[in-house]
Amino acid sequence: MTAEIPALLAMAFRTVMDQVHESLAAEGFDDVRPAHGFVFQYLSQRAAGATAVELGGHLGVTKQAAVQLVDELEQRGYVERGPHPTDRRSRMVVLAPRGWACVASVVRRWGEVEARWGDLIGADRVEHLRADLRRIVADSGQAVALRPVW
């Protein structure tokens, strides 16, 4: 028996994301890098946004690196900064309309990938795969977030 499933999962993710980024570039999102996706995903689940410190913690980078990433995304029109509701020294980062459009495109592309997998291996097997992966993630006993593995 070989222990190749973790590697295959990583390669499958890489294959999907390479295809997604190729499609994003064709749609005019050619300045999006994989690290940006982790920011978009995190912010898309937080209606009030997040601070650079929170983003840095999620990404596993320093506050300075997170601020630099937010600066870059703000210059490209993907995020906006606004006032923090309780801390005048902090700023909240939220997705801008361009960021939301990018997120919607990624979700659409992921749906296309799953449909293609259904054609390849059968829709029932894709549903079983989804259920099995959910069980594996749940078995960790921890809240697992989609975050980069640097």
Side-chain angles (χ1 to χ4, degrees), residues 96-112:
R98 181 168 171 77
W100 282 113
C102 187
V103 168
S105 182
V106 170
V107 170
R108 191 171 48 255
R109 298 292 176 210
W110 283 359
E112 292 169 2

Side-chain angles (χ1 to χ4, degrees), residues 1-147:
M1 181 169 130
T2 63
E4 67 177 329
I5 291 175
L8 288 169
L9 287 170
M11 288 185 285
F13 181 72
R14 175 64 189 261
T15 299
V16 167
M17 294 315 298
D18 285 350
Q19 293 168 0
V20 166
H21 279 273
E22 186 177 309
S23 297
L24 288 175
E27 289 183 40
F29 300 110
D30 56 339
D31 54 352
V32 173
R33 295 183 293 122
H36 298 155
F38 294 105
V39 173
F40 295 169
Q41 188 275 335
Y42 186 75
L43 292 176
S44 72
Q45 296 184 358
R46 284 157 181 74
T51 65
V53 171
E54 292 168 334
L55 280 171
H58 174 71
L59 297 172
V61 299
T62 65
K63 175 188 172 190
Q64 293 79 10
V67 167
Q68 188 174 24
L69 185 57
V70 170
D71 287 345
E72 178 183 331
L73 290 172
E74 185 176 39
Q75 290 168 359
R76 295 176 183 186
Y78 290 103
V79 301
E80 298 170 342
R81 286 182 168 110
H84 190 284
T86 60
D87 183 353
R88 293 194 327 214
R89 297 170 297 150
S90 293
R91 306 278 290 162
M92 296 301 290
V93 180
V94 297
L95 286 171
R98 181 168 171 77
W100 282 113
C102 187
V103 168
S105 182
V106 170
V107 170
R108 191 171 48 255
R109 298 292 176 210
W110 283 359
E112 292 169 2
V113 166
E114 289 188 19
R116 194 168 55 250
W117 287 356
D119 292 342
L120 183 65
I121 66 172
D124 60 328
R125 291 188 63 194
V126 171
E127 286 306 315
H128 285 291
L129 175 61
R130 182 188 333 276
D132 290 344
L133 290 172
R134 284 181 178 156
R135 284 180 56 201
I136 290 168
V137 170
D139 185 59
S140 74
Q142 304 172 27
V144 180
L146 184 60
R147 56 190 299 157

